[in-house]
Amino acid sequence: MKTALITGITGQDGSYLAELLLKKKYKVVGIVRKTSHENYANIGHIQDDLNLYQGDLLDPVSLREIIQKVKPDEVYNLASQSHPSESFKQPIYTTEITGLGAHRVLDVTLDVNPKAKFYQASSSEMFGWVKEIPQNEDTPFNPANPYAVAKLYAHAITKIYRKSYNFFASYGILFNHESPRRHLGFVTQKVTYAAACAKLGIRTSRHLNEEGEPLFKNGKVSLGNLDAKRDWGFAGDFVEAMWLMLQQDKPDDFVIATGETHSIKELCKEAFGYVGKNWEDFVVIDKRFIRPTETGPLVGNPAKAKKILKWTPKTKFKDLVKIMVDANIARLK
Ligand code: NAP
Ligand code: G4F
């Protein structure tokens, strides 16, 4: 039985990856933060099958103790401050976790367990003010926010460890991937949740947006830049690619994407259209959600992953939107 260690197991990807690895008969170990309130909404249904340890990417002592005890065959470093918008408000904190935190996990793993295979969760955000369209593994990076800079630091140091110490460290440059487990502060959740409210005739929601206000208020959702473009896939499909990367004979880097891009406006049209509504009746622009700088247009070319990993995204944009609207309708009911 192989042992996999997942940082960020309570997050969207961590929970889908844990499910996948349990199905593959792994012993699954997760690092969870010590919080004042239990935060297991995404993993409650599999909690009995997991081995959870308290630790923090800010604290190398806890990381060392866990990795020494568990001796994982595979380490998936998914933990991060993962909101690019928040990284403008908390740039140093973001760098501490998303950049240096990744370095801590990498360094402790190499030191304690050098035979482990390591996965780093890199991001399409690193392409930033994009140098070409679509983006692939050879596209130059040009980060446009503090989160992207932190991810690029983690990415670069992972590559240096691979080359310098003959360490099996791979990374996926993942484009946006979403699901009903996505935090409500991301745009796909905001829009599909609002569409669900519109469908159910809810005027003001009890769930909150990234500013801590009702996400749907007086029959409207507040959004930022509607012209931004993203390549959106389904998280359940994307975690499979992470696992495949660590099953290869040699470490490598892969773009994981659908190859399709859509604007936020198109997302609104699709989500509200699905519930028979006109999106323009429910969306208002609020300057607070417009970022100081915008990334993109992001669209990935996953040809290398298709060829080498034999990975293809299964869920289409329209189906993803339907899955998320339906899940939000169920949540609100
Ligand atoms: P997510 O839902 O925000 O999950 C982040 C996880 O990191 C949570 O489990 C969180 O724990 C944990 N975490 C945060 N700070 C920590 C700390 N100091 N110590 C230990 N754990 C900490 O993110 P996701 O969408 O699953 O993404 C997974 C990874 O892929 C992230 O690194 C993200 O930056 C990257 N990524 C995501 C996408 C995407 O579209 N989803 C695309 C490219 C790359 P709590 O539950 O305690 O907060
Ligand atoms: O949903 P978002 O907040 O995700 P973003 O910034 O693309 O980041 C996600 O994907 C990255 C991969 O590219 C990951 F690395 C990262 O961890 C995270 O998972 O914003 C998507 C787009 C942006 O262009 C933003 O400006 O939506 C635009 N947007 C428009 N109105 C909004 C809003 N975003 C948010 N969060 N809230 C709005 O009201």
Side-chain angles (χ1 to χ4, degrees):
M1 185 189 246
K2 277 199 211 171
T3 300
L5 174 69
I6 304 175
T7 72
I9 196 165
T10 53
Q12 171 187 261
D13 292 6
S15 62
Y16 281 108
L17 180 65
E19 276 174 13
L20 178 80
L21 296 177
L22 286 173
K23 269 194 212 125
K24 294 188 182 295
K25 306 287 176 215
Y26 276 68
K27 177 180 175 187
V28 179
V29 179
I31 295 185
V32 291
R33 287 200 275 185
K34 176 101 184 111
T35 47
S36 47
H37 295 284
E38 193 198 85
N39 180 21
Y40 291 177
N42 287 337
I43 54 168
H45 61 295
I46 48 171
Q47 199 180 328
D48 290 347
D49 301 321
L50 301 173
N51 301 268
L52 300 178
Y53 291 88
Q54 284 177 350
D56 201 299
L57 258 61
L58 297 174
D59 179 52
V61 176
S62 61
L63 297 174
R64 177 172 292 273
E65 198 169 297
I66 295 165
I67 293 173
Q68 235 155 15
K69 191 173 202 165
V70 169
K71 296 211 168 39
D73 300 292
E74 296 173 9
V75 175
Y76 296 87
N77 181 42
L78 308 186
S80 87
Q81 190 304 88
S82 76
H83 298 252
S85 53
E86 190 61 26
S87 77
F88 283 107
K89 295 177 196 153
Q90 303 196 47
I92 310 297
Y93 174 76
T94 301
T95 305
E96 272 292 349
I97 297 173
T98 305
L100 278 173
H103 194 172
R104 290 185 192 100
V105 184
L106 183 66
D107 199 61
V108 171
T109 307
L110 175 70
D111 192 30
V112 174
N113 206 23
K115 295 263 178 279
K117 288 181 167 183
F118 189 90
Y119 173 82
Q120 169 59 21
S122 289
S123 167
S124 52
E125 279 290 318
M126 300 185 307
F127 295 122
W129 295 304
V130 297
K131 299 270 194 187
E132 63 181 349
I133 301 171
Q135 298 88 43
N136 63 32
E137 292 79 3
D138 299 321
T139 303
F141 298 123
N142 196 17
N145 56 54
Y147 165 83
V149 173
K151 276 289 180 195
L152 185 51
Y153 169 83
H155 183 86
I157 198 72
T158 303
K159 191 160 206 165
I160 288 169
Y161 272 48
R162 180 204 290 172
K163 285 184 179 282
S164 311
Y165 307 119
N166 199 23
F167 182 53
F168 192 115
S170 283
Y171 39 77
I173 305 173
L174 269 58
F175 282 65
N176 297 51
H177 45 281
E178 317 292 313
S179 76
R181 297 184 197 165
R182 201 47 153 154
H183 189 268
L184 284 169
F186 291 102
V187 76
T188 51
Q189 277 288 48
K190 285 184 77 174
V191 170
T192 58
Y193 181 95
C197 288
K199 160 90 178 165
L200 297 175
I202 292 170
R203 294 279 305 156
T204 297
S205 67
R206 70 183 175 85
H207 292 98
L208 308 177
N209 65 19
E210 60 265 59
E211 287 292 326
E213 298 154 355
L215 197 163
F216 198 67
K217 199 171 168 190
N218 298 326
K220 307 271 183 200
V221 60
S222 296
L223 297 177
N225 180 0
L226 300 188
D227 295 322
K229 286 189 158 183
R230 289 291 184 274
D231 177 333
W232 283 296
F234 173 56
D237 294 346
F238 280 40
V239 296
E240 186 125 26
M242 298 176 187
W243 174 76
L244 283 168
M245 282 179 224
L246 296 200
Q247 310 317 305
Q248 305 304 304
D249 292 334
K250 60 181 184 61
D252 207 343
D253 20 317
F254 294 93
V255 157
I256 303 298
T258 70
E260 249 185 54
T261 193
H262 297 276
S263 67
I264 314 303
K265 211 177 275 171
E266 287 171 311
L267 168 69
C268 291
K269 227 180 252 177
E270 196 62 42
F272 284 92
Y274 176 53
V275 296
K277 306 282 182 193
N278 177 9
W279 69 275
E280 284 161 303
D281 297 336
F282 298 93
V283 173
V284 290
I285 303 300
D286 182 333
K287 277 199 206 134
R288 290 174 307 159
F289 299 116
I290 298 177
R291 300 176 187 181
T293 57
E294 185 58 83
T295 304
L298 291 179
V299 55
N301 176 355
K304 182 176 172 186
K306 282 185 181 168
K307 185 167 172 225
I308 297 177
L309 302 178
K310 314 276 179 255
W311 177 86
T312 43
K314 297 186 191 97
T315 313
K316 298 301 248 183
F317 172 68
K318 278 176 192 271
D319 296 325
L320 175 66
V321 172
K322 283 182 194 160
I323 291 168
M324 292 181 71
V325 174
D326 286 341
N328 276 315
I329 290 173
R331 182 206 304 250
L332 285 162
K333 275 185 177 163

